[in-house]
Amino acid sequence: MSQPLVGMDLADLREALGSDQPGYRATQVYEAIYRGRATDLAGITALPTALRQSLAERIAFGLPEIARRFESADGTRRYLLRLEDGRTVETVLMPEDERDTMCISSQAGCAVDCKFCMTALLGLERSLTAGEIVGQVLTLVHDNNLDRAHDPRRLNIVMMGQGEPLLNLDNVIKATRILLDPAGFGLSPRRITVSTAGIVPKIAELGREPVRPKLAVSLNASTEEARSELMPITRKYHLKDLIEACQAYPLRPWEKLTFEYVLLKGVNDTDADARRVAKLLANINAKLNLIALNPGPEIPYQTPDPERVASFQTIVRRSIPCFIRKPRGLDIFAACGQLKSSAV
């Protein structure tokens, strides 16, 4: 079979349907999948029965299979999703009263090898297609009945699951266009964020995209030496170059650049680290999210005490906005840095 329907844009669909079909048929399929949330071709009732049957014979619909669900005591749900080739990827839903946040993956595994992250232990299996990225969103929307009157304003999407999104930028951008398209899924650009470990040339490339998500940068250290130890990617893309790329990044009028900082006890959590971080980010329209390490097997670091985290925040927010991110789903290995396709 050819490329599945989920992940196709309008141009793809016109080609898939063929020149013998009127152009509006592609629009009907596009809107039914992304805005109408159809789960199979049989549900696209605007199409003639014969056309639906013909498409079903030669094109897969393309939603991933739910292999396992895990539910946390705090309401967080972690999903192990099986892709067409049998590989699995993880997606997390964090329900709240006013909104729902979905953490999706851009790759199966990850090649960046951050030393405090369980996903790094998997290595990289492969990058996901645009359809596999969008398919995670659609699958969780269906499974959790999130389609409240087709109101996407309740949903935030963060591409902070497995993988380095900027090493799969073409597919990430294609998926983002579908998710942000008013005729497609209909998210606001304010509602989707991708995170990077610091792939410097790709940061500039993302900034040139006319339709793009918000950007978050994983910082995690205040010096070149410490970052190189924790995040080997720094040996290729140096901290100085990363900060310069962030200073040059073209923010929209309503936008701040987000930085993420995982605090490791006795490693990168001192007051001196906090002062250096504040200095590094002083000339960027930025905010900083602090994440006390979410522990896991084979991770050789410890979580700092809450008092140490609070002291770090106090110092940084004298210069820029600084927030402490509350962990979700720790008991089911669904928190930041814990996604390792675990079955327990």
Side-chain angles (χ1 to χ4, degrees), residues 85-332:
D85 65 358
R87 287 184 171 86
T88 58
V89 72
E90 289 182 281
T91 308
V92 176
L93 179 71
M94 292 163 278
E96 299 178 69
D97 290 339
E98 298 300 321
R99 67 182 182 186
D100 301 300
T101 298
M102 196 180 295
C103 179
I104 66 175
S105 296
S106 57
Q107 297 178 308
C110 187
V112 175
D113 197 27
C114 298
K115 301 304 181 183
F116 47 83
C117 179
M118 288 175 63
T119 309
L121 301 172
L122 293 171
L124 177 66
E125 296 183 14
R126 68 170 173 83
S127 290
L128 302 186
T129 66
E132 289 167 338
I133 295 170
V134 174
Q136 295 171 69
V137 177
L138 296 177
T139 296
L140 267 64
V141 164
H142 300 318
D143 195 61
N144 293 275
N145 193 28
L146 300 183
D147 210 20
R148 300 175 179 88
H150 300 286
D151 184 2
R153 291 173 296 178
R154 283 188 52 91
L155 181 64
N156 284 340
I157 293 176
V158 293
M159 213 171 291
M160 299 179 181
Q162 292 181 347
E164 165 53 66
L166 298 197
L167 291 179
N168 188 22
L169 187 56
D170 288 347
N171 286 313
V172 164
I173 288 298
K174 185 174 183 180
T176 298
R177 287 173 180 159
I178 291 169
L179 292 169
L180 296 183
D181 186 357
F185 192 82
L187 275 181
S188 161
R190 298 171 183 259
R191 294 288 187 176
I192 182 167
T193 303
V194 301
S195 178
T196 180
I199 314 300
V200 170
K202 294 294 184 178
I203 291 174
E205 189 175 332
L206 177 64
R208 292 191 290 269
E209 289 290 334
V211 177
R212 56 183 165 88
K214 297 187 296 182
L215 179 63
V217 178
S218 294
L219 186 60
N220 305 320
S222 65
T223 67
E224 181 80 18
E225 296 74 21
R227 197 167 190 270
S228 179
E229 185 69 25
L230 295 172
M231 303 177 70
I233 194 71
T234 286
R235 298 167 196 171
K236 184 172 184 180
Y237 303 116
H238 300 293
L239 180 58
K240 176 178 178 292
D241 299 326
L242 174 62
I243 295 300
E244 288 177 354
C246 292
Q247 289 170 335
Y249 192 75
L251 296 171
R252 289 156 287 197
W254 47 265
E255 188 176 14
K256 286 183 182 292
L257 195 58
T258 299
F259 287 85
E260 310 278 350
Y261 195 100
V262 177
L263 289 159
L264 311 173
K265 185 174 183 178
V267 176
N268 65 351
D269 63 344
T270 67
D271 287 354
D273 283 304
R275 287 190 290 270
R276 284 192 292 265
V277 167
K279 186 176 180 180
L280 278 172
L281 306 184
N283 296 319
I284 303 173
N285 185 14
K287 64 179 181 178
L288 181 69
N289 288 333
L290 299 177
I291 304 163
L293 175 72
N294 297 313
E298 302 177 72
I299 300 300
Y301 299 105
Q302 294 180 304
T303 305
D305 298 331
E307 295 78 13
R308 177 92 304 269
V309 177
S311 177
F312 199 102
Q313 180 193 32
T314 297
I315 293 168
V316 173
R317 68 180 177 187
R318 292 170 189 158
S319 302
I320 63 169
C322 183
F323 307 94
I324 298 171
R325 275 179 50 184
K326 180 182 176 182
R328 297 286 303 271
L330 281 170
D331 55 331
I332 57 167

